[in-house]
Amino acid sequence: MARETRELTCINCPLGCPLTVVLEDGEVISVTGNTCPRGESYGRKEVTNPTRIVTSSVPVDGSASERMVSVKTASDIPKDMIFDVVRALKDVRATAPVAIGDVVLADVCGTGVDIVATKGA
Amino acid sequence: MAKTIERRDVVIVGGGPAGLAAAISAHEAGQTDILVLERDTQLGGILNQCIHNGFGLHTFKEELTGPEYAARYIERAAELGIEYRLGTMVIDISPERLVTAVSSADGITQVEAGAIVLAMGCRERPRGALATPGYRPAGVYSAGTAQRLVNIEGQMPGREVVILGSGDIGLIMARRMTLEGAHVACVAEIMPYSGGLKRNIVQCLDDFGIPLLLSHTVTRVEGRDRVEAVWIAEVDERMQPIAGTEVRYPCDTLMLSVGLLPENELSRDAGVQISPVTRGPVVDQSLQTSVRGVFACGNVLHVHDLVDYVSEEAAAAGANAARFVAQAQAETEADRGIPVVAEGGVRYTVPSFVSPQLMDDRLTVRFRVANVYRDHFVSVYLDDERIQHRKKRVMAPGEMESVVLRRADLLAREGLQRITVKLEEE
Amino acid sequence: MYDVIIVGAGVSGCAIARELSRHDCSVCVVERDEDVCCGTSKANSAIVHAGFDAEPGSLMAQLNVEGNRLMYEWARELDVRCDQCGSLVVCVSEDDREGLEVLRRRGEANGVPDLRIIEREELLGMEPNISDEAVAALWAPTGGIVDPFGLTVAMAENAAANGVEFRFCAPVSDVRRADGCWQVVAGGQALQTRAVVNAAGVYSDDIHSLFVGALGDADVAPAACGHVVPTDGFSIIPRKGEYYLLDTTAGQHVRHTIFMLPTKMGKGVLVSPTVHGNLIVGPTATDVEDKESTDTTAEGLAEVATKSALTVKNVPLREVITTFAGLRAHQSAHDFVIGEVAGDTGLFDCAAIESPGLTSSPAIGRMLADMVAGYVGAPEKAEWDGTRTGIPSVSDLSFDEWDALCQRDPAFGNVICRCRRISEAQIVDAIHRVPGARSLDAIKRRTFATAGRCQGGFCTPKIMEILERELGMSPQEVTKRGPGSELVVGYNKDRIAAPAGDAEGGEA
């Protein structure tokens, strides 16, 4: 049986509890160090399926006011794909007019998640 | 002036998150004759360059980016038909509430205001204020300036970055620079704890393996034309560099996230009394400054870490400004109310005066603590009697705290002299 | 072929250029940096010295007192910020009182008018924040403060308007002497001239040697003027001075320039208002090896902080907005080296111009211009305009005046530097003048944009954009102060590998 221990810092509050998560064959068998239940669920998720929102900005053409338009992944993507998403954005440009929520790049890196504008331009 | 002086009920100086929330709230409180003066070319203030997520969890129960959060308020202001002028910088406010502004479109204009809400925000402490020895090359940026270059202009300030100060903007920029292809060598923090949010330390530094060096500072900047290296040393309890601990970090960029200062030059012109602790105006329960009819909110009042609290505070200031206009300035100036005193680890409170007769049923008093405190109690005393005693697992200087005062409690106390907010071990 | 090449566009070089432009001759100023006022001239105390320090009979004494008188005239002619606020040398010990008398007598011997020793009570009335130890002071009403950047720029602009050429990024790399003329390679360009003025600041000894090394046997005739510099030259010791600059909120802490009367314990530092409303505190005096070492040090800054308290109480050092260091061109004899290098060389030194060099600059300019014009035989022009109008400063204007400017050019209504209130129109003006600003610091010297309490935090990106627009630069070409000091290095994600190739990612 593969046993693995991971050390994390809980992000739910300023307390920043140092969490120890023990996994066996990829299954969480214990979370310790937390002082509240939120810490436990954070610890579980962070070791089994850590995800992040990625934000960035891309150049926009044809806007009188903006050089760049800010963007984000419309929902969380796997944490280990952050750099894949960034690379996918390398040569992406938006064209004005852009409204908040417009899809700038659909289904980024096959995640099923769109890159959407977070600012109008 | 040859031009005529306009007359407006409520003039709001600044169209960032505080100004917008104040304007909307003043309108909702019944004053529709509102004018927002914004020096930038768009509304939203600093939120426009804060493209990361994490805004609005309290207000909207969702995670928005800065521009999205701003857009919610900009749209609401537009629905209400609130008038604003862009590219318009206020250059003077008189104690009589005459506001003078300048813009390309209109030159110098003057507005006589029934009430004024100060919402100018804050600025970053520059390197010069730290007197860090060394040269003064290109490549030393405050984190906010770098943020603007990257997020608004699309330009890279550098490739190899050292960040001094672990304030949230510095942490956020560590991640931003990394995601744009730069390498961030480390974040040095002179204090033994970070001034930033835990979430940012994990998601902006730990995620990318960027070391956070606590109790460290930059002791020298190398490079005459462009930064070539910085030297970082460990500091002792008195925050003095420890000899022999200096390490040279080759880099082309030094970013500073070493504190924010409320921008109160206009407030001073108006004669507003400024707190030496917050560097913002001293206010009463209505967020009114020492000058009648002049209110303050947001980062010009005291530096916040969460925009949600800015919006909340600004809404109160806007409503109170509207109320001030409606009551035709009937309130007398004489009584500033009962002092709210910060003690025992509480650095300051906002407000610093409360008039029980004039306050709402519930009043949020915000404060910051001086150090990291674990398992301490936040206590509120009315004179010598403790009326609140709430245990907190942890409090840190980087996170704003608050207590709520109830009007009924204060009114029940006849001859009340002072309200004290303090931290206690038990 | 030029009649005169001036090496160095500091305050001395520009003063000489301005005075030479009265004469009918072709003049070119070659400067190694990208702008005027990049060396000693930009990092000093910005003081107009009354003239009681220098040894009577020295060139320094003569040019200081004459320069002091001319400075206030020139400031009017050239529209430069200057204020005759007066200076005080404060004595902090009864034992040292005699020192004030010595200074007064020396000043009188030098021709400084209206010197007076004042007692503590009067001093306190003039300076409420004076040290509790202060017992008396020497009051010099002709002392003052000046904008050293504005002065240098104004002299350069006036010189340019009268025909003087400027070449920047043009360090002198090679020199030849042939047929009684000089061939000078500066910034890769071969230039010819009849006369050369060496106004190269801390490098004036090196420049002297470079030219003297090219002299041949033919150049032995007696010099044309009375002031002769021996060919074997002199040695410049860079003397570092470190300073604090405080916010305008502290600008009223003192009203006059406060010097400390040196005691057995040593020399103090000065505390003075500046013409921009700040408070300046400094300098140290440390001899260094490196002529480029304009870095501040922890020890130097600590020394300034400690010494400022000897004359002035409660200097609010928490209001510091920046620190800086400058190098004075010191030489051991402690006098200016001005004159023609011995022989018929056409080589004129303007060297070792340390304090009070800024004050003396108008007089230095006249003296050298007279010598050099005599050498090249250039008569005064029939018509010459010695006036220059500065960039309008909206922060100094009444609302009505500012409004009038906005009606003329709306860009006066667009405030770019909010701390110092500098409008877009001023920055554009600074760029398009001759010689014009091409960098962030060049704009700072001309307008004071970025020199406020946020130190360019808000306005740097905006000024970069204006420079790009007005000069057709790319963002990566915009510099803080010339080549090598580029402000940005590329575009977002330009080093991130595209999705297909995984070779060069940004991962940790």
Side-chain angles (χ1 to χ4, degrees), chain C residues 53-64 110 227 333-336:
Chain C
D53 274 320
E55 207 52 53
S58 64
L59 197 51
M60 211 178 241
Q62 176 203 325
L63 294 174
N64 183 348
N110 289 345
H227 286 271
H334 190 56
D335 201 357
F336 298 152

Side-chain angles (χ1 to χ4, degrees), chain B residues 39 141 145 156 159 180 224, chain C residues 290 418 457 481 487 494:
Chain B
R39 56 190 159 199
Y141 285 106
T145 307
M156 289 293 279
R159 306 281 181 205
E180 294 297 343
R224 290 180 188 118
Chain C
D290 183 357
R418 46 168 103 157
R481 52 161 170 274
L487 288 158
D494 58 359

Side-chain angles (χ1 to χ4, degrees), chain C residues 26-45:
Chain C
S26 58
V27 180
C28 178
V29 181
V30 295
E31 165 58 47
R32 68 161 196 157
D33 279 307
E34 54 108 32
D35 190 18
V36 301
C37 201
C38 283
T40 301
S41 307
K42 78 165 179 187
N44 54 71
S45 309

Side-chain angles (χ1 to χ4, degrees), chain B residues 158-163 177 182-186 250-255:
Chain B
R159 306 281 181 205
E160 181 70 26
V161 183
V162 166
I163 298 177
M177 292 303 292
H183 176 251
V184 179
C186 67
C251 59
D252 63 4
T253 305
L254 171 63
M255 268 182 211

Side-chain angles (χ1 to χ4, degrees), chain A residues 9 11 13-16 35 42 52-53 55-57 66-68 70 72 79 82 86 100 118-119, chain B residues 42 48 51-53 65 67-68 71 151-155 176 179-180 198-199 202-203 207 393-394 399:
Chain A
T9 306
I11 65 164
C13 80
L15 210 51
T35 34
Y42 172 79
R52 298 288 186 268
I53 296 272
T55 63
S56 189
S57 61
E66 312 289 331
R67 284 184 179 181
M68 306 292 287
S70 54
K72 69 174 182 184
K79 184 186 157 195
I82 291 175
V86 167
I100 290 180
T118 57
K119 194 172 192 315
Chain B
Q42 52 187 316
N48 287 317
I51 65 166
H52 52 282
N53 61 314
T65 63
E68 290 171 309
N151 293 351
I152 306 286
E153 315 290 345
Q155 293 162 10
R176 272 304 283 144
L179 292 184
E180 294 297 343
K198 270 283 171 307
R199 167 198 169 102
V202 170
Q203 297 197 347
D207 274 6
R393 299 301 301 257
V394 67
E399 312 215 8

Side-chain angles (χ1 to χ4, degrees), chain B residues 1-3 39 87 89-92 100 102-104 106-108 110 122-123 126 128-129 131-138 141-142 145 148-150 153-159 176 178-181 208 224-226 252 263 265-266 269 279, chain C residues 244 290 292-298 301 318-324 399-400 402-403 406-407 410-411 413-415 418 421 453-455 457-458 460-461 464-465 468 475 480-481 483-496 508:
Chain B
M1 295 289 299
K3 296 180 191 172
R39 56 190 159 199
M89 182 159 133
V90 174
I91 53 174
D92 188 60
T100 306
V102 67
S103 69
S104 295
D106 302 314
I108 304 270
Q110 293 190 307
C122 61
R123 64 167 176 271
T132 307
Y135 290 92
R136 301 196 299 159
Y141 285 106
S142 62
T145 307
R148 182 183 163 103
L149 285 171
V150 177
E153 315 290 345
Q155 293 162 10
M156 289 293 279
R159 306 281 181 205
R176 272 304 283 144
T178 307
L179 292 184
E180 294 297 343
F208 305 98
R224 290 180 188 118
D225 294 325
R226 174 86 201 190
D252 63 4
E263 218 169 34
E265 285 66 38
L266 287 171
D269 287 349
R279 288 180 172 244
Chain C
Y244 286 105
D290 183 357
E292 297 293 314
S293 64
T294 52
D295 55 331
T296 54
T297 63
L301 293 173
R318 65 176 190 286
E319 302 290 322
V320 166
I321 56 172
T322 191
T323 58
F324 65 92
F399 295 151
D400 278 336
W402 190 347
D403 191 53
C406 295
Q407 305 311 319
N414 182 17
V415 176
R418 46 168 103 157
R421 284 198 189 146
R453 50 181 65 93
C454 90
Q455 290 284 295
F458 287 113
T460 294
M464 288 169 67
E465 232 176 291
E468 288 166 35
K480 183 167 191 291
R481 52 161 170 274
S485 66
E486 285 73 21
L487 288 158
V488 297
V489 298
Y491 292 104
N492 289 5
K493 300 186 185 71
D494 58 359
R495 297 277 176 91
I496 299 252

Side-chain angles (χ1 to χ4, degrees), chain B residues 383-401:
Chain B
D383 292 331
D384 293 331
E385 190 192 342
R386 188 162 76 191
I387 60 156
Q388 284 185 36
H389 193 54
R390 181 169 50 99
K391 188 172 183 178
K392 292 273 292 181
R393 299 301 301 257
V394 67
M395 287 175 281
E399 312 215 8
M400 194 177 280
E401 300 288 340

